[in-house]
Amino acid sequence: MLLQLSILAVLLLCPVWAENFYQDATVTFGDHRAQIQDGGRVLALSLDKISGSGFQSKNEYLFGRFDMQLKLVPGNSAGTVTTFYLSSQGAGHDEIDFEFLGNSSGQPYTVHTNVYSQGKGNKEQQFRLWFDPTSSFHTYSIVWNSQRIIFLVDNIPIRVFNNHEALGVAFPKNQAMRVYASLWNADDWATQGGRVKTDWSMAPFTASYRNFNTNACVWSAATSTSSCGGSKTDSVNNVQTWQTQELNASERNRLRWVQQKYMIYNYCADAKRFSQGFSPECKRSRF
């Protein structure tokens, strides 16, 4: 009995490596437009004039590292939005976003990031990429722990959102979230502020996902417990790297490089939008 309990504890505390979309994901909309391929290793989403498509993880999580490889819509992707994000449910939901805003042929994608806590967002930062995200798969990662959120592209940090609850800034840490992905039409705003519309003669548009990996604390709503500990307040008993992860000197230099060369929008610099003053975290370190 003691041996069985020990094995169970190890299984609960081990990272979850989600390698098969048949086992680890559920199609949420789009019917046949979401196609699981290659024995469950790839999931392709498509968009036509009738509908987009999407999927979600079967598990809910309270903190973790989440990796997804994506190959985005090639060619004229104007008006389309491809997503990979974490979200809870309800009006006061939490959310951590990667959104990829399409563009006209030959024009670069925009990577749109945002953080919602208790239903409030307005924390947008946007970036270009230093490679063609449509020609091959690249890895996009979210590290979420109780101290900070780190957004990474091919393991290069592009953004850090720190926990500044001490300054009165809400931080997502009390609601379990699922992983979501979708491809949908947003030509009212996605490309050049909505000026460039979706060219439906190019449909169907397709984006592909693979190597969906989670190293995370699985949350059980039935028992209100985490696989990393007993409750929301003590879910870091078995410390993994991501649970205390912060940027080292080399990673801080990489983040500076990305933000200097490839950041195209920062809510902390938009004085016209936030004429009453910036949020308190804007005065703190970007690391």
Side-chain angles (χ1 to χ4, degrees):
M1 182 66 179
L2 183 59
L3 178 60
Q4 289 177 325
L5 290 174
S6 298
I7 292 172
L8 178 60
V10 170
L11 289 173
L12 287 173
L13 292 169
C14 278
V16 178
W17 295 102
E19 298 175 347
N20 191 302
F21 284 109
Y22 284 119
Q23 298 172 2
D24 302 302
T26 301
V27 173
T28 51
F29 71 101
D31 298 323
H32 64 277
R33 296 172 186 84
Q35 295 281 339
I36 299 177
Q37 304 169 346
D38 195 17
R41 288 183 287 273
V42 175
L43 202 161
L45 296 180
S46 64
L47 162 70
D48 57 33
K49 202 167 186 178
I50 297 173
S51 177
S53 51
F55 65 91
Q56 69 180 37
S57 64
K58 290 184 178 179
N59 285 326
E60 288 184 287
Y61 306 95
L62 189 66
F63 306 128
R65 176 173 176 135
F66 308 87
D67 303 296
M68 187 81 77
Q69 291 191 330
L70 279 77
K71 184 161 66 172
L72 300 179
V73 175
N76 185 0
S77 58
T80 69
V81 177
T82 307
T83 71
F84 162 51
Y85 64 101
L86 305 175
S87 183
S88 63
Q89 296 298 306
H93 79 293
D94 293 345
E95 189 171 323
I96 304 169
D97 289 341
F98 264 118
E99 295 185 328
F100 304 90
L101 314 185
N103 214 332
S104 304
S105 295
Q107 300 299 311
Y109 264 81
T110 296
V111 180
H112 177 96
T113 65
N114 201 357
V115 176
Y116 288 78
S117 185
Q118 300 168 29
K120 296 181 180 178
N122 297 327
K123 309 293 185 187
E124 301 93 342
Q125 289 184 354
Q126 294 182 338
F127 305 84
R128 300 296 193 205
L129 291 167
W130 49 96
F131 53 82
D132 178 1
T134 71
S135 62
S136 60
F137 284 92
H138 290 267
T139 303
Y140 304 90
S141 306
I142 296 168
V143 173
W144 170 39
N145 60 43
S146 60
Q147 297 89 44
R148 64 190 56 83
I149 296 161
I150 307 173
F151 296 80
L152 304 105
V153 176
D154 288 337
N155 217 34
I156 296 173
I158 65 169
R159 177 181 185 180
V160 176
F161 184 81
N162 286 302
N163 184 338
H164 286 300
E165 289 178 303
L167 301 177
V169 180
F171 185 85
K173 70 172 191 179
N174 294 316
Q175 298 187 60
M177 297 196 266
R178 294 185 192 274
V179 178
Y180 292 88
S182 59
L183 172 58
W184 52 289
N185 176 51
D187 66 2
D188 56 332
W189 65 271
T191 305
Q192 299 177 35
R195 292 186 295 275
V196 181
K197 301 300 183 182
T198 303
D199 180 359
W200 292 111
S201 71
M202 305 295 291
F205 304 95
T206 301
S208 296
Y209 297 73
R210 74 177 187 191
N211 290 347
F212 167 36
N213 292 330
T214 65
N215 185 348
C217 299
V218 178
W219 178 255
S220 170
T223 60
S224 294
T225 56
S226 162
S227 63
C228 298
S231 66
K232 292 180 180 179
T233 56
D234 92 313
S235 62
V236 290
N237 287 349
N238 183 51
V239 177
Q240 305 278 342
T241 301
W242 60 262
Q243 289 179 312
T244 56
Q245 187 169 339
E246 56 186 338
L247 302 192
N248 59 32
S250 174
E251 290 167 333
R252 290 195 294 272
N253 284 335
R254 287 184 168 192
L255 183 138
R256 289 188 188 98
W257 172 76
V258 171
Q259 295 195 349
Q260 287 170 4
K261 287 185 171 290
Y262 297 101
M263 179 185 281
I264 59 171
Y265 179 81
N266 182 4
Y267 74 104
C268 284
D270 192 342
K272 182 177 180 181
R273 180 183 175 194
F274 298 102
S275 58
Q276 302 302 309
F278 295 119
S279 188
E281 76 274 8
C282 292
K283 298 178 182 178
R284 299 301 177 102
S285 169
R286 65 180 129 172
F287 308 123

